[in-house]
Amino acid sequence: MKMKLAGISGIVAALLSVTSVQAVPISGNIYMGGEAVLNNSENSVTSWPYVYVLGDSSAFSSIAAFSTVTMSSSPWVFSPAPGAPLANLWTVGGFTFNFLGDTVSQSGNFLNIAGFGTISSDNSLYDTTDFTWNLSAENVSGTVDFIFSATTGASSGGGAGDVPDGGLTLALLGVALAGIEVFRRKVYKV
């Protein structure tokens, strides 16, 4: 009886030791608009006079429309592709976007930048998550109006959106091996 109680206690202790709250990937879309000052000779944005949220969904739904977005004070060099990575390109509503890379297409007065990066949250419920994004601008000299959209499901190759296991798989393997050992001892006792 003591052996059964010790075994059950061990199993319960193992299961309790691996229970943890798992963070989840950030999901949804966020749309922004505003003004950017371009330096065409360096293929960069040198400043962002005004940027605001146009709309959002899912994890971003707590951000009110027309909320002001804090943009990086560092110049954002977007070309030649893949552009220079820039941490904290923008921050709003507790979310921060880190630019990792892009592809740029320009035709006449239109500029389209598509790329990838990661979005993180100051809320511990969310993991850093890969995002794809798109920035479109017209009249690409000096101060331009732009629209920016970010969507979950990117693949930056960094695996930032992967949710860790937390040790449950290893604990279940341990419990299974302990069960096999108990069974083996019972069989050889007989």
Side-chain angles (χ1 to χ4, degrees):
M1 183 65 174
K2 282 186 179 182
M3 186 61 133
K4 273 189 181 178
L5 186 56
I8 292 172
S9 297
I11 292 170
V12 170
L15 290 174
L16 290 176
S17 69
V18 296
T19 57
S20 63
V21 176
Q22 295 285 324
V24 296
I26 299 167
S27 65
N29 304 305
I30 188 163
Y31 306 96
M32 299 176 196
E35 296 179 342
V37 178
L38 295 178
N39 181 336
N40 286 339
S41 63
E42 296 177 5
N43 293 316
S44 66
V45 175
T46 57
S47 67
W48 309 85
Y50 184 61
V51 180
Y52 53 92
V53 174
L54 293 170
D56 44 47
S57 67
S58 297
F60 306 108
S61 61
S62 63
I63 303 171
F66 303 108
S67 295
T68 302
V69 179
T70 303
M71 300 299 292
S72 173
S73 59
S74 299
W76 173 44
V77 180
F78 53 81
S79 186
L86 180 60
N88 304 323
L89 179 59
W90 59 258
T91 302
V92 66
F95 294 94
T96 300
F97 179 78
N98 295 309
F99 166 74
L100 297 176
D102 61 14
T103 56
V104 179
S105 61
Q106 187 170 353
S107 174
N109 288 337
F110 295 97
L111 173 67
N112 189 51
I113 305 171
F116 59 89
T118 60
I119 292 184
S120 58
S121 171
D122 59 9
N123 184 335
S124 62
L125 295 177
Y126 294 115
D127 279 333
T128 298
T129 305
D130 293 339
F131 263 64
T132 58
W133 54 270
N134 190 64
L135 184 140
S136 300
E138 188 176 356
N139 298 325
V140 291
S141 61
T143 302
V144 300
D145 295 326
F146 73 89
I147 295 177
F148 174 93
S149 63
T151 306
T152 55
S155 179
S156 68
D162 297 343
V163 177
D165 176 87
L168 183 59
T169 302
L170 189 58
L172 290 174
L173 177 62
V175 168
L177 291 173
I180 290 170
E181 178 62 18
V182 167
F183 179 74
R184 185 190 67 81
R185 288 182 183 193
K186 283 190 175 227
V187 168
Y188 285 112
K189 262 188 172 181
V190 177

